[in-house]
Amino acid sequence: MSNTPSEIEQKRDRLLEILKGYRQVAVAFSAGVDSTVVAQAAHLACGADAVAVTAVSLSLATGEREEAEQLAAQIGIRHVIVETREFSDPGYQRNASNRCYFCKSELYSRLVELAPSLGVKVLANGANLDDQGDYRPGMQAAAEFQVRSPLIEAGFTKKDVRELARIWNLPVWDKPATPCLSSRIAYGVEVTPERVRRIDEAEQFLKELLSLNELRVRCEANELARIEVPLGQIHQLLDPVVRDQVRGRLRELGFRFVTVDLDGFRSGSMNSAIPREQLLDVQIPARLLPE
């Protein structure tokens, strides 16, 4: 039997070596599979010199903070909660196609401020190679704040991340993507606390009603709710009894119109409205924070 390490083992070892080189690192920790793998690796590589930092704001979906706390406890990594104030930024509220840039800029600026008290000199995120092929304004913010992306440096694709999470027995290894609630609001429609609250409550209602883990309630212009569920589950929403329940509850929450998207659930479907010339591939430089 060959003792040659498998490809995922080689990438794992490379990831741990990269993080060990950081020495003192704060991981932007959302409780998604990517940042959870980085947090686990940082804890293994740096021990007490690693900290996971979770940003909490109105755009965080119900249950995500609690899951982050549970995961950090399972990993054993030091965990800090910080409140971010992106909703006070007019650039964020305007909700242009670069909204995520303002959100990440707020997060990273808070982490830079906290770095001395946290005892760290390096900031890291959970970006992987697949993120470089999508429209990610947040990666521009990462570059400006010199945030490192150890998964990219170690050559991890999303598939690799999930495989390593499974090997490490991390319960989020198959967790669906959970972008912030503001990402459900159509570009050009103002991001407000009331809209993200409405979206959160609508999604929690639908998940319970339909017994689904992955769906979206998109907020379009004129307070129109566009519901995305997997294609095989659309029939549930068309049942007269369910349809009336959904329509009644979402209108009660403040939506004026309720529709079902016949294309089904697509992660990041809002980006289809972005002009092709804006789909930039922003690289994250591998640099430390200034001394």
Side-chain angles (χ1 to χ4, degrees):
M1 182 180 293
S2 172
N3 291 322
T4 303
S6 66
E7 182 179 354
I8 193 65
E9 289 172 330
Q10 293 178 40
K11 290 185 177 182
R12 175 203 62 196
D13 294 345
R14 173 64 178 151
L15 177 63
L16 293 174
E17 282 300 313
I18 288 169
L19 283 158
K20 191 177 295 183
Y22 295 175
R23 298 181 61 185
Q24 300 166 314
V25 59
V27 178
F29 180 57
S30 68
V33 62
D34 300 307
S35 63
T36 300
V37 164
V38 175
Q40 176 70 80
H43 179 63
L44 292 173
C46 304
D49 288 325
V51 57
V53 183
T54 299
V56 172
S57 76
L58 297 171
S59 67
L60 192 66
T62 296
E64 291 299 303
R65 172 176 178 165
E66 293 76 12
E67 185 169 15
E69 292 172 338
Q70 293 167 6
L71 282 168
Q74 176 181 330
I75 292 169
I77 193 170
R78 183 164 47 121
H79 189 216
V80 173
I81 301 289
V82 297
E83 292 189 5
T84 53
R85 303 177 290 267
E86 61 268 24
F87 278 80
S88 64
D89 187 334
Y92 182 84
Q93 293 175 335
R94 276 195 301 271
N95 197 22
S97 61
N98 63 345
R99 179 201 63 248
C100 202
Y101 168 81
F102 298 99
C103 178
K104 293 300 184 185
S105 292
E106 164 65 10
L107 168 61
Y108 296 142
S109 66
R110 293 281 286 127
L111 292 183
V112 169
E113 291 172 6
L114 290 170
S117 63
L118 293 175
V120 301
K121 293 184 177 180
V122 182
L123 305 182
N125 64 20
N128 63 67
L129 287 175
D130 292 339
D131 292 325
Q132 294 186 310
D134 195 5
Y135 180 67
R136 303 275 177 162
M139 294 179 75
Q140 179 183 345
E144 292 176 2
F145 284 91
Q146 300 179 322
V147 178
R148 297 185 69 163
S149 300
L151 293 174
I152 291 178
E153 294 179 43
F156 274 76
T157 63
K158 187 74 171 189
K159 181 180 178 181
D160 295 329
V161 174
R162 291 197 182 279
E163 183 177 354
L164 184 56
R166 183 183 58 79
I167 291 170
W168 276 346
N169 293 315
L170 296 171
V172 292
W173 72 270
D174 60 348
K175 180 181 180 180
T178 51
C180 76
L181 294 170
S182 298
S183 68
R184 276 75 147 168
I185 302 175
Y187 294 126
V189 176
E190 184 182 8
V191 174
T192 67
E194 196 280 329
R195 284 194 173 110
V196 294
R197 177 203 59 79
R198 184 194 310 161
I199 291 166
D200 190 28
E201 292 190 29
E203 290 191 351
Q204 297 305 317
F205 166 75
L206 286 169
K207 286 178 179 179
E208 182 175 349
L209 178 67
L210 304 175
S211 299
L212 292 176
N213 291 324
E214 192 166 33
L215 55 81
R216 295 286 187 271
V217 175
R218 312 284 190 188
C219 180
E220 302 283 355
N222 299 315
E223 310 306 337
L224 182 149
R226 176 166 58 86
I227 301 171
E228 294 181 8
V229 299
L231 282 172
Q233 306 302 322
I234 289 177
H235 69 277
Q236 291 191 67
L237 289 167
L238 302 182
D239 177 87
V241 174
V242 173
R243 182 188 63 205
D244 287 345
Q245 287 180 291
V246 171
R247 180 177 56 194
R249 178 58 178 149
L250 268 63
R251 285 185 174 171
E252 182 181 81
L253 290 173
F255 288 104
R256 294 176 61 196
F257 308 100
V258 182
T259 66
V260 177
D261 192 323
L262 297 183
D263 283 332
F265 170 77
R266 292 100 64 214
S267 182
S269 67
M270 289 296 191
N271 285 350
S272 63
I274 300 175
R276 186 175 182 82
E277 59 268 21
Q278 290 187 31
L279 301 179
L280 304 178
D281 182 11
V282 181
Q283 301 293 324
I284 299 177
R287 296 195 300 268
L288 301 179
L289 287 173
E291 292 290 333

